[in-house]
Amino acid sequence: MFDFVRKHTRIMQFLLFLLIVPSFVLFGIDGYSRFNEKGPVVAKVAGRDITQSEWDAAHRSEAERIRQSMPSLDPKLLDSPEARYATLERLIRESVLAAAATDLKLTTSDTRLARELQENPTIASLRDSEGRLDMERYRRLVASQGMTPEMFEAQVRADLSTRQVLQGLTGSTISSATQARVALDALLERREVHVVRWNPSDFAGRVTITDADLEASYRRNEARYQAPEQADIEYLVLDVDTIKKSIAVSEADLKAYYEQNSERLSGQEERRASHILISAPRTSAESERQKAKAKAEELLAQARKAPDTFAELARKNSQDPGSAGKGGDLDFFVRGAMVKPFEDAAFALKKGEFSSVVETEYGYHIIRLTDIKAPQTRGFNEMKAELEEQVRKQQAQRKFQESAEAFSNGVYEQSDSLKPVAERLKLEIRTANGVTRAGVAGAAGPLTNQKFLAALFSAESVDKKRNTEAVETASNQLVSGRILKYQPAKTRPFAEVKDQVRAAFLIEKGAELARQEGEAQLAKWRAKDEETGGLPAAVVVSRDQTGNLPPEVLEAALKADPARLPGWLGIDLGEKGYAVVRVNKVIPRPTPDAEALRQETRQYAQLWAGLEGKAYYNLLKERYKVQILAAKPAVRTVEEAGSKTAK
């Protein structure tokens, strides 16, 4: 068979051409490639599938948006299963509301879309003094989000349409001050209580322990003493920092870079100006704006007649509180520091000149340029270290992009070893022992990334010892690993955990004794209901003033029947012991002042609107037959994770 293929290569090429081309014609190249790339279905809404690839793409976009707005945020929080699941829930919500908007025939007119775009502060910053949009900057802005202007506007239109689904309900919520007061008085009701606690640790000296007791406790609670599954692994990291260490930059490259970028590297020109502002926001009436402009024109004429009086004019007339007291002085600034109309005027002036009246979103300005600080050109030797770092970083970034595909393909194509990829890309093979699904205690980087750990403990990796796929664990960072030695979850021997069993047994028996003594004392107090001798001083508690009480104790005290007060309660706190509470009386909440009442009414209305919106959304989820096929992550300890795996 293979001899025939080798001898009739052209015939086979022609046959393959006939088989493959129709597939592309029928489905398109993009559809053909996506056929296998969408991944499993993770949710269904109104009969439409949400796939793993959609979920991954949405989470990458969301994580990048959060990283840009909160650079100091720990990246591990964005890679957690909880964060990823929240993204899936958002995707489902968007799909449900979009389906509802379609069925309700809710659309967005061109006029409404235009108004939304005009009110967008980011887009507003791209307009010139005459209100014209800088289309080139606008295209760059939306391109940074991976969209064209048409795609961005279509997305805004769709968002406005889906927003109407809930706005009709939440926007019509009516709440009176009386309703708010009744609800909040009940929620924030105060009660006077006495609280007595019995802690397990207080009874430790009364607990008798034998080895037989400990062994019996160990057998009853074997799940507590599970050692989680773990593995010894090796892994590769491809990132910009790793590549940067291997790059050597020549003197010639540095000099060429310096000559090409010397002007930019030397810094920006700075200008110092003073101004007089006559405030007139664009939301003001036209008559008010014209009056403000006339005032500015009058002051400009005075300043031009007597330039030396400008500082005094600013002190008396400028409505900019930040600079008026300093004679209008704004100190030095660079391009980009001021709103565009102001910046354009200031950088067009010569030292000592006045601008004409300049209109901005704040009102009307008279600008006087008082100084110019030209950038100082720095010599090559002075900047050499800085230049080397910049060039190395740029080259590393380019090399990372070139190497990423080779890395991803290599770990997949030669899945039984990381060595070929490591040698080809000159990467160090790293190792780690005792890695669990929760990572490695005290580790950082990829060994704490949940996506990488999930790939590492997948069936393919555990059973066949194959390389994981190339996992993106951070921006410009790819990781692949493989298991060298795997140890499934198992129950640790009694001898190994005897001290832990002893500690748990002491708590268990201490809690039992605490409960017995607390119940006995409670019975005595109930028998002499009017006597409160020996009780600690009464305290007043509420949901917003907890008095540091355990949540179980606080809730029990606040739920006690007001018709049966004063009354006694016994609360079993499990391993935290036992508590007895005497609830003396209900204390009405103080009457809020008029302003506080208005604020509470607004907050109550917002809360009620949110609850109505949530109830309606849940109804829509039922109507559109939402199915979530991805498992919701549970917060588990390492021991619990190991126990679940063992089962």
Side-chain angles (χ1 to χ4, degrees):
M1 174 66 184
F2 291 105
D3 288 338
F4 176 83
V5 172
R6 282 194 293 269
K7 293 176 182 177
H8 301 86
T9 304
R10 290 186 178 277
I11 295 174
M12 292 304 297
Q13 287 175 343
F14 179 71
L15 289 173
L16 288 171
F17 179 81
L18 290 177
L19 290 170
I20 294 171
V21 169
S23 300
F24 287 123
V25 172
L26 289 172
F27 302 106
I29 292 175
D30 188 51
Y32 195 90
S33 63
R34 288 202 308 266
F35 181 78
N36 291 317
E37 292 177 359
K38 288 185 175 180
V41 174
V42 294
K44 293 176 178 285
V45 178
R48 190 186 80 81
D49 294 344
I50 296 177
T51 64
Q52 182 71 48
S53 62
E54 287 181 79
W55 183 11
D56 291 342
H59 188 67
R60 282 195 299 271
S61 176
E62 181 71 4
E64 184 59 29
R65 183 187 65 78
I66 295 173
R67 268 194 290 265
Q68 289 179 359
S69 61
M70 304 172 66
S72 60
L73 184 70
D74 186 349
K76 289 187 290 186
L77 297 177
L78 301 178
D79 289 326
S80 68
E82 293 78 13
R84 290 183 55 79
Y85 196 81
T87 300
L88 177 60
E89 290 182 317
R90 180 175 60 78
L91 272 178
I92 292 169
R93 181 182 177 86
E94 290 172 355
S95 298
V96 167
L97 296 180
T102 300
D103 287 353
L104 295 170
K105 296 181 172 55
L106 299 175
T107 58
T108 299
S109 67
D110 291 343
T111 303
R112 177 69 184 89
L113 174 63
R115 186 165 73 249
E116 179 71 16
L117 294 174
Q118 287 171 354
E119 292 172 357
N120 185 306
T122 305
I123 296 176
S125 68
L126 305 180
R127 298 184 181 277
D128 60 23
S129 58
E130 297 179 4
R132 290 174 302 200
L133 183 64
D134 186 332
M135 288 303 298
E136 184 56 36
R137 292 174 66 193
Y138 177 52
R139 288 191 187 91
R140 288 201 300 269
L141 173 68
V142 298
S144 67
Q145 302 174 47
M147 291 184 282
T148 64
E150 292 76 17
M151 292 166 62
F152 174 74
E153 289 159 18
Q155 184 185 73
V156 174
R157 189 189 295 273
D159 288 345
L160 290 172
S161 298
T162 56
R163 209 181 295 169
Q164 296 176 62
V165 175
L166 295 179
Q167 275 181 339
L169 177 68
T170 59
S172 61
T173 300
I174 299 174
S175 172
S176 67
T178 302
Q179 287 176 310
R181 182 72 193 277
V182 169
L184 292 173
D185 281 353
L187 179 67
L188 301 177
E189 180 182 85
R190 302 188 301 167
R191 297 194 172 191
E192 183 183 88
V193 300
H194 302 272
V195 181
V196 184
R197 293 278 304 274
W198 284 267
N199 298 309
S201 58
D202 298 335
F203 296 86
R206 291 165 52 181
V207 177
T208 302
I209 302 176
T210 66
D211 284 347
D213 290 332
L214 294 182
E215 288 183 11
S217 177
Y218 168 76
R219 285 192 296 272
R220 286 196 308 271
N221 301 286
E222 283 188 350
R224 286 186 182 180
Y225 309 110
Q226 287 276 330
E229 63 178 326
Q230 56 182 279
D232 296 342
I233 70 165
E234 62 180 16
Y235 64 104
L236 289 179
V237 178
L238 176 72
D239 59 15
V240 171
D241 290 338
T242 303
I243 293 174
K244 193 162 64 172
K245 293 174 184 176
S246 66
I247 291 176
V249 183
S250 68
E251 186 93 357
D253 288 342
L254 289 180
K255 287 183 177 178
Y257 184 78
Y258 173 75
E259 290 168 2
Q260 293 166 8
N261 297 277
S262 59
E263 185 175 339
R264 177 180 63 82
L265 294 169
S266 296
Q268 299 183 58
E269 178 185 296
E270 295 181 64
R271 295 206 162 199
R272 186 170 193 167
S274 296
H275 82 138
I276 297 172
L277 169 65
I278 305 302
S279 181
R282 285 179 175 157
T283 54
S284 304
E286 184 60 27
S287 59
E288 291 297 318
R289 291 179 59 77
Q290 290 301 321
K291 185 178 177 181
K293 185 176 182 181
K295 175 68 173 175
E297 295 282 6
E298 180 186 334
L299 290 170
L300 176 59
Q302 292 180 39
R304 281 178 171 162
K305 285 181 182 178
D308 293 341
T309 65
F310 185 85
E312 191 60 31
L313 286 172
R315 289 190 187 93
K316 291 181 179 179
N317 298 282
S318 181
Q319 294 170 338
D320 176 10
S323 67
K326 298 183 287 186
D329 182 34
L330 296 169
D331 211 336
F332 283 99
F333 55 87
V334 297
R335 285 191 180 274
M338 302 294 183
V339 292
K340 195 168 187 308
F342 190 102
E343 174 191 294
D344 290 343
F347 277 85
L349 296 174
K350 295 179 181 178
K351 185 175 177 179
E353 285 185 341
F354 290 99
S355 69
S356 56
V357 172
V358 176
E359 180 185 358
T360 72
E361 59 199 82
Y362 304 107
Y364 296 95
H365 306 256
I366 305 160
I367 306 170
R368 187 185 191 195
L369 189 67
T370 56
D371 204 355
I372 299 174
K373 189 185 291 184
Q376 294 183 351
T377 302
R378 296 161 65 194
F380 173 75
N381 290 332
E382 181 186 354
M383 297 189 66
K384 187 174 180 180
E386 182 182 336
L387 293 171
E388 187 172 354
E389 176 63 21
Q390 290 187 22
V391 172
R392 183 179 283 114
K393 185 176 181 179
Q394 288 181 6
Q395 291 184 4
Q397 186 67 53
R398 284 197 297 271
K399 191 171 180 181
F400 174 82
Q401 300 301 333
E402 295 166 1
S403 303
E405 185 175 358
F407 182 90
S408 300
N409 292 340
V411 297
Y412 173 75
E413 292 167 357
Q414 294 174 290
S415 60
D416 60 344
S417 175
L418 294 173
K419 189 175 180 181
V421 177
E423 291 177 346
R424 188 181 314 139
L425 299 179
K426 295 181 173 55
L427 300 175
E428 174 193 358
I429 296 179
R430 310 180 192 186
T431 60
N433 296 331
V435 180
T436 70
R437 286 181 182 267
V440 178
L447 294 181
T448 62
N449 183 275
Q450 289 301 314
K451 191 174 179 182
F452 173 59
L453 292 169
L456 199 59
F457 284 93
S458 67
E460 189 82 359
S461 177
V462 171
D463 297 339
K464 300 180 180 178
K465 302 293 189 295
R466 288 180 176 170
N467 301 339
T468 69
E469 63 179 341
V471 178
E472 185 178 7
T473 54
S475 179
N476 291 328
Q477 184 180 75
L478 294 175
V479 180
S480 177
R482 62 189 304 270
I483 290 177
L484 301 175
K485 181 181 178 183
Y486 176 75
Q487 182 176 308
K490 63 177 182 179
T491 302
R492 296 160 68 190
F494 172 71
E496 185 180 320
V497 297
K498 187 175 180 178
D499 289 343
Q500 296 177 40
V501 176
R502 178 185 294 275
F505 185 79
L506 276 173
I507 292 174
E508 179 186 341
K509 292 300 179 182
E512 188 178 317
L513 292 173
R515 178 178 53 78
Q516 291 171 0
E517 185 148 328
E519 287 176 342
Q521 185 61 56
L522 175 61
K524 292 178 183 178
W525 277 326
R526 278 178 170 158
K528 301 176 181 180
D529 188 46
E530 298 302 319
E531 295 185 17
T532 58
L535 290 175
V539 294
V540 176
V541 296
S542 64
R543 285 184 174 85
D544 60 342
Q545 295 178 348
T546 65
N548 294 322
L549 294 182
E552 306 95 320
V553 175
L554 180 66
E555 282 302 308
L558 294 174
K559 287 179 179 179
D561 187 351
R564 298 184 179 181
L565 299 184
W568 296 90
L569 303 169
I571 301 105
D572 187 351
L573 300 175
E575 292 188 346
K576 291 185 288 185
Y578 194 80
V580 168
V581 178
R582 187 180 197 270
V583 185
N584 292 337
K585 59 184 177 181
V586 174
I587 301 177
R589 190 169 71 104
T591 302
D593 58 38
E595 178 55 33
L597 183 59
R598 281 193 294 272
Q599 185 175 352
E600 285 183 356
T601 303
R602 286 195 299 269
Q603 291 174 340
Y604 176 78
Q606 291 170 358
L607 176 63
W608 191 252
L611 292 172
E612 286 188 335
K614 184 177 181 180
Y616 182 49
Y617 172 64
N618 288 334
L619 179 65
L620 291 175
K621 285 173 68 177
E622 292 180 15
R623 180 179 300 171
Y624 292 109
K625 297 179 174 56
V626 170
Q627 298 178 53
I628 303 179
L629 306 178
K632 185 172 184 176
V635 178
R636 295 178 289 135
T637 64
V638 174
E639 289 77 15
E640 289 171 334
S643 173
K644 186 171 181 178
T645 304
K647 294 176 184 178

